[in-house]
Amino acid sequence: MPILDFKEIAQANLTNGLQDTFEMFARDFFMMLGFEIKDGPDRGQDGGRDLIINEKREGIIGDTEISWLVSCKHKAHSGSAVQSNDEIDIKGRVESFGAQGFIGFYSTIISSSLNRSLEGLKRHFDVKVFDREIIEKMILENPKGRTIAKRYFPISFSKWEEDHPKPANIFSEYEPLHCQNCDKDLLPQGDGIIVFKKDLKTEVYVAFLWCCKGKCDQDLKSKYRLMGYTDAGWEDISDILIPGKYLAWNMAVLNRIQQGDDKYSDEAFKSLKQFILRVSQMVLRSQNDEQIRRLMDLASLP
Ligand SMILES: [Zn+2]
């Protein structure tokens, strides 16, 4: 199921001033990957324009620079595959610009006939194809890709972002929530559970843990049972990542402390606070620059 809707990028060959958007998108995309963008040749009769991009390759005896000719074809609005007759004389175009490789940058898929002719060209130079699926994957996997996605796919990307929230910038750096048995970060997917361990003799919580469900939970259970401690309640982390549940759970913890129902060892209370802070990165919204400046002012007040 595609995530980014390429139809959000204005159709090429319209004379409304937006005809360059797909090529601008290609420039931003290749800059994100670390290519240097050279000015492209003029617009051709089909409304398409090729880009020249340079790639630095580090070698043992020195760096080399490879020039690629990028052909952008934006056919998402018609939905049709890029055909052989959409790409005229690739070899001649690559050679006339002195490039060493060809990249097809397509907002749909490539037809099998064009694929065959590109395979044939690999005898002469490097050939790569970035189709809709590959472009989408690379954008969503790259930390810089979010900025590009926000600019060119504002509607479909914001829908995706709702389901894949980015940790809020509460701390100077992201603080993971590692499973206390296998070290996996539990925050991005919200998988795993929290468990209270109690000393039944003193009625005190001696530990507050987070771990994966299943084996990790079982391993920790055996470890704590040997020390004489029992499970005294657990919750799914995914539930606590729901903002309303996060608040309700925090209130319940505070209330039980106030009423004297729950007593924590220093160690367990420290863990509880650590959990609340780390989880807050996925529940709270990000702070803007002005708020961060103000926060620094407040912290520096005597
Ligand atoms: Zn684990």
Side-chain angles (χ1 to χ4, degrees):
M1 187 58 188
I3 294 158
L4 301 176
D5 179 8
F6 281 77
K7 290 205 283 293
E8 287 186 60
I9 298 180
Q11 198 165 355
N13 72 38
L14 292 179
T15 45
N16 57 2
L18 291 174
Q19 69 269 48
D20 285 337
T21 315
F22 189 66
E23 285 127 48
M24 276 159 53
F25 166 61
R27 280 167 192 251
D28 288 348
F29 177 84
F30 287 107
M31 266 161 66
M32 167 188 93
L33 297 181
F35 288 88
E36 192 194 344
I37 312 295
K38 295 278 168 199
D39 239 2
D42 285 339
R43 185 163 295 283
Q45 280 178 333
D46 63 343
R49 194 209 302 249
D50 294 335
L51 290 175
I52 302 288
I53 63 173
N54 284 359
E55 177 192 3
K56 275 215 170 70
R57 286 188 186 168
E58 282 178 24
I60 297 166
I61 43 166
D63 297 350
T64 44
E65 207 166 70
I66 310 266
S67 282
W68 293 86
L69 180 119
V70 181
S71 172
C72 306
K73 301 284 177 215
H74 184 30
K75 304 183 85 179
H77 292 269
S78 69
S80 55
V82 182
Q83 306 290 337
S84 295
N85 56 10
D86 291 319
E87 290 289 16
I88 317 275
D89 189 21
I90 294 175
K91 191 163 175 284
R93 279 150 68 203
V94 168
E95 282 166 359
S96 71
F97 293 109
Q100 286 87 46
F102 173 84
I103 293 176
F105 189 78
Y106 306 142
S107 63
T108 52
I109 52 167
I110 174 175
S111 70
S112 46
S113 67
L114 177 57
N115 198 29
R116 270 196 304 277
S117 35
L118 290 182
E119 283 300 319
L121 286 172
K122 286 184 178 170
R123 284 189 297 134
H124 305 287
F125 41 75
D126 281 341
V127 175
K128 296 264 181 289
V129 171
F130 291 77
D131 64 10
R132 189 191 57 70
E133 213 170 297
I134 295 171
I135 297 170
E136 173 181 291
K137 187 165 176 281
M138 295 183 86
I139 286 185
L140 296 179
E141 279 176 359
N142 194 307
K144 291 181 200 157
R146 281 179 184 251
T147 322
I148 296 179
K150 218 173 248 173
R151 186 178 315 150
Y152 294 98
F153 307 93
I155 301 164
S156 48
F157 181 65
S158 78
K159 232 181 264 165
W160 182 81
E161 239 184 349
E162 272 172 31
D163 297 330
H164 300 80
K166 193 178 147 209
N169 60 352
I170 306 297
F171 310 118
S172 54
E173 227 171 75
Y174 169 67
E175 297 276 354
L177 188 75
H178 292 300
C179 164
Q180 289 174 346
N181 193 53
C182 76
D183 229 31
K184 178 189 167 189
D185 184 8
L186 304 170
L187 269 192
Q189 259 69 52
D191 35 10
I193 50 172
I194 46 167
V195 188
F196 291 88
K197 302 283 180 190
K198 205 173 208 174
D199 181 344
L200 288 179
K201 277 179 257 145
T202 59
E203 288 289 308
V204 168
Y205 289 132
V206 288
F208 176 81
L209 306 176
W210 43 89
C211 61
C212 310
K213 278 186 178 177
K215 189 187 170 294
C216 291
D217 179 30
Q218 287 305 324
D219 287 356
L220 290 169
K221 202 172 271 174
S222 326
K223 186 178 140 193
Y224 278 85
R225 198 180 288 135
L226 283 176
M227 296 188 270
Y229 304 136
T230 333
D231 279 10
W234 66 277
E235 295 267 2
D236 277 313
I237 293 173
S238 59
D239 284 346
I240 297 179
L241 292 180
I242 303 167
K245 171 71 183 174
Y246 176 76
L247 276 178
W249 182 79
N250 272 281
M251 288 305 112
V253 166
L254 288 178
N255 286 338
R256 287 200 306 266
I257 293 173
Q258 163 73 359
Q259 286 155 7
D261 296 339
D262 288 353
K263 287 188 190 65
Y264 290 83
S265 69
D266 288 347
E267 192 60 34
F269 194 64
K270 201 174 135 200
S271 298
L272 174 75
K273 287 192 289 186
Q274 201 175 52
F275 174 76
I276 292 172
L277 290 170
R278 294 189 177 191
V279 162
S280 75
Q281 299 173 103
M282 304 306 284
V283 180
L284 301 182
R285 71 173 167 85
S286 279
Q287 315 170 112
N288 63 35
D289 291 346
E290 200 187 321
Q291 290 171 326
I292 292 171
R293 271 196 297 277
R294 178 64 183 148
L295 201 58
M296 272 151 49
D297 286 349
L298 288 172
S300 66
L301 292 176

